[in-house]
Amino acid sequence: MAKIGVLIESKGGEVRKTTLGVMAVIRQVPEAELFALEMAPDVEPCREVLRRHGADRIVAIGAAAELSSFPEEKAAAVAAAVDHFGLDALLGSSGQAGRDLLARVASLKRAPLVLDCLEVDLARGIVRKSHFSGRTIATLQLKTGPWILGIRPNVFAERIEPRPGEIIPYEAPVTFRKRITVRQIRRGDAGGPDVSEAEIIISGGRGVGSAENFRILRDCASLLGAAVGASRAAVDAGYAPHALQVGQTGKTVSPKLYIACGISGSVQHFAGMKTSKVVIGINRDKDAPIFQKCDYGLLGDLFEIVPALTRALGPDGTA
Amino acid sequence: MKIYVCLKHVPDTAANIRPLAGASFDESVKFIVNPYDEYALEQALKIRESGADAEVVAVTAGREAAVSTLRTALAMGADRAIHVKTDTYFMEALETARLLHEAISRDGSPDLILTGRQSVDAEGMQIPYRLGVLFDLPVAVNVASFSMAEGLVTVEREIEGDLREVIEMSLPCIVGATRGLNHPRCATLPDMMKAKKKEIRVIPQADLGPEPAASVVELLELKTVPDRGRGKMLVGSPDEMARDLVRILRENKTL
């Protein structure tokens, strides 16, 4: 029976949705024994959710509080758990936190690592991921384990499949070298929800025209429960901070709905949002490339269409 | 101090990639320096220009054609270059890291190794971490801000959402750069001419020891992702189109 570990990401006692998607990948293999690796000091608040989503065991990695500021030691603790429990694979979310930890663990173990997986066949050890900025999909065969895999957020939906969820405390033998120290976590200049894990994104491009004008996107976003994104052109023009950038040199996203406002639709932009489920283009230029590769196109002035969309979504919307 | 910058020769991000049989692709497209690696090189040049007594060495592992990426690096200002010449285009990250580690450690003792957070071709996102273990040095990746004083490096790493981790490491260390770190300079024609006189040392892959027998990940196939087709254009006034859109999205359960 394969033993598969999942890096649990939680926030304030709540398991992140992206983690539940990763657990669903493993629950596609009924015979797999799922080990939820928790770094939180207290695993009790998350236990019920983890159990319902298919955790056979919940490993409470001790000294979690001391590890949080030391990425190298945290990775060493996870690598030790992989050995201790004899895990055949370790999966996690490919968000920024997950990919850093997974890459550190894989390097320590000289193990195969594939980040940002779009498809995973655990039984055969085959994964698919983007190559060349989303223009091609590569099929990769994993060989000697343990396999370390990062799953692109939002690609897999959560799935309910209750399992025992037995809590096992584990004190990882970690030597503190403290070569890297996280001194602080500071808020950047963007604000609002994160694009990389949002289920709905409304993005603005050069056509938005100014930083102030992004307000009309934010108004619409708050009704949709969406995150606001931006194209590189908008970031370069200073309309939006880099943290919001979607595309080649920004973030890669997979929301269920992506609304591109005043974005022409360059290859580099598509590299970052191609795996969105539904793409809407709003542009005043009928020849904009975005209309050639979207699901629905709205031709016209975004300053009229976006507020109209906000109205249609609002309490008085007649849609 | 010795600063090594690892760069990769990759297809232009706008190039049309045509997969071929045997997990390869039509390479008759324009190639460029991997964009994230340019941020790494620019940072190295900035350190040297700030008065530090630094030598900047550009390193790549790639086939014959990758020499043009080293020429660009030299034109931008690297002092010299090392080309580990390989036979295959797609190498496993473990092997790429092994070659870079061998080539660099035979050349000198690095104080700082800079590279991009990922390549834009294979998107592996792991070379800096693999180098970290091979050199036994601390690593920070996705770095958007860098400063250095008295042997201590302070970087800001973009993490979830709008948050940045402020990280301290002591030298020597390894940094994986991302966009926002700086604005890479463009090499001028005179720069390109001057760069021709700079040294590019070529090391055949075989000279760096035998390839490990066991591969850990094998690329089986590359497939084009079809673009979604032309979108259905909604008609009417802005309010009509907006109402139509919301209705469609609710009907198909997107909202």
Side-chain angles (χ1 to χ4, degrees), chain A residues 100 129 132-133 135 188 292, chain B residues 15 121 123 129 136 162 230:
Chain A
D100 190 66
K129 73 161 291 169
F132 301 108
S133 315
R135 259 155 303 156
Q292 299 300 329
Chain B
D121 54 357
E123 305 175 25
Y129 298 99
D136 192 23
D162 188 27
R230 188 175 165 76

Side-chain angles (χ1 to χ4, degrees), chain B residues 229-242:
Chain B
R230 188 175 165 76
K232 179 178 181 330
M233 298 303 286
L234 303 183
V235 291
S237 71
D239 277 306
E240 284 163 342
M241 286 192 286

Side-chain angles (χ1 to χ4, degrees), chain B residues 37-97:
Chain B
D37 302 341
E38 281 195 330
Y39 302 120
L41 176 59
E42 178 65 34
Q43 196 57 48
L45 300 174
K46 277 199 151 82
I47 293 169
R48 193 187 58 196
E49 284 161 4
S50 72
D53 179 21
E55 184 189 31
V56 177
V57 186
V59 190
T60 196
R63 289 196 300 197
E64 178 84 51
V67 72
S68 79
T69 272
L70 292 178
R71 290 226 174 83
T72 305
L74 292 171
M76 283 172 71
D79 295 299
R80 60 190 175 85
I82 301 172
H83 181 185
V84 179
K85 214 191 248 173
T86 64
D87 296 327
T88 40
Y89 185 89
F90 288 112
M91 273 191 300
E92 290 186 40
L94 264 173
E95 176 60 4
T96 306

Side-chain angles (χ1 to χ4, degrees), chain A residues 15 30 63 68 74 83 118 142 160 171 188 208 228 239-240 252 268 297 319:
Chain A
V15 181
S68 68
K74 196 168 159 182
D83 288 341
L118 299 167
L142 299 157
I160 304 289
E171 284 301 324
V208 176
V228 173
Y239 305 164
T252 305
Q268 290 89 342

Side-chain angles (χ1 to χ4, degrees), chain A residues 86-133:
Chain A
L87 303 182
D88 300 296
L90 175 68
L91 277 69
S93 161
S94 247
Q96 289 305 339
R99 76 170 62 165
D100 190 66
L101 187 49
L102 290 166
R104 289 182 190 279
V105 174
S107 301
L108 285 172
K109 304 210 47 67
R110 288 179 163 72
L113 168 72
V114 183
L115 291 173
D116 233 12
C117 295
L118 299 167
E119 282 176 52
V120 177
D121 179 345
L122 282 170
R124 292 193 299 154
I126 287 182
V127 296
R128 294 202 168 80
K129 73 161 291 169
S130 150
H131 266 37
F132 301 108
S133 315

Side-chain angles (χ1 to χ4, degrees), chain B residues 22-215:
Chain B
S24 62
F25 66 100
D26 180 354
E27 290 176 41
S28 60
V29 292
K30 187 182 170 219
F31 275 71
I32 55 169
V33 180
N34 182 45
Y36 293 106
D37 302 341
E38 281 195 330
Y39 302 120
L41 176 59
E42 178 65 34
Q43 196 57 48
L45 300 174
K46 277 199 151 82
I47 293 169
R48 193 187 58 196
E49 284 161 4
S50 72
D53 179 21
E55 184 189 31
V56 177
V57 186
V59 190
T60 196
R63 289 196 300 197
E64 178 84 51
V67 72
S68 79
T69 272
L70 292 178
R71 290 226 174 83
T72 305
L74 292 171
M76 283 172 71
D79 295 299
R80 60 190 175 85
I82 301 172
H83 181 185
V84 179
K85 214 191 248 173
T86 64
D87 296 327
T88 40
Y89 185 89
F90 288 112
M91 273 191 300
E92 290 186 40
L94 264 173
E95 176 60 4
T96 306
R98 184 187 73 84
L99 295 175
L100 293 171
H101 169 249
E102 283 290 336
I104 292 171
S105 32
R106 287 176 193 204
D107 186 81
S109 178
D111 294 291
L112 181 62
I113 299 176
L114 290 156
T115 188
R117 73 161 196 206
Q118 70 176 80
S119 66
V120 298
D121 54 357
E123 305 175 25
M125 315 174 185
Q126 51 193 280
I127 295 297
Y129 298 99
R130 304 265 186 207
L131 289 175
V133 167
L134 293 171
F135 281 100
D136 192 23
L137 292 178
V139 184
V141 177
N142 217 23
V143 165
S145 147
F146 176 99
S147 62
M148 194 172 73
E150 289 156 19
L152 200 65
V153 167
T154 306
V155 299
E156 287 187 16
R157 209 176 96 63
E158 287 190 344
I159 52 169
E160 246 67 41
D162 188 27
L163 302 177
R164 284 177 165 210
E165 260 178 8
V166 182
I167 286 187
E168 269 176 21
M169 304 188 279
S170 50
L171 284 173
C173 64
I174 300 175
V175 168
T178 193
R179 181 168 142 78
L181 180 60
N182 52 43
H183 298 281
R185 65 197 68 190
C186 287
T188 62
L189 194 59
D191 293 334
M192 293 301 269
M193 299 309 287
K194 271 205 307 229
K196 285 190 173 162
K197 293 201 197 91
K198 293 182 180 173
E199 179 204 345
I200 300 180
R201 193 149 62 84
V202 179
I203 307 175
Q205 182 175 4
D207 288 7
L208 296 178
E211 224 175 303
S215 89

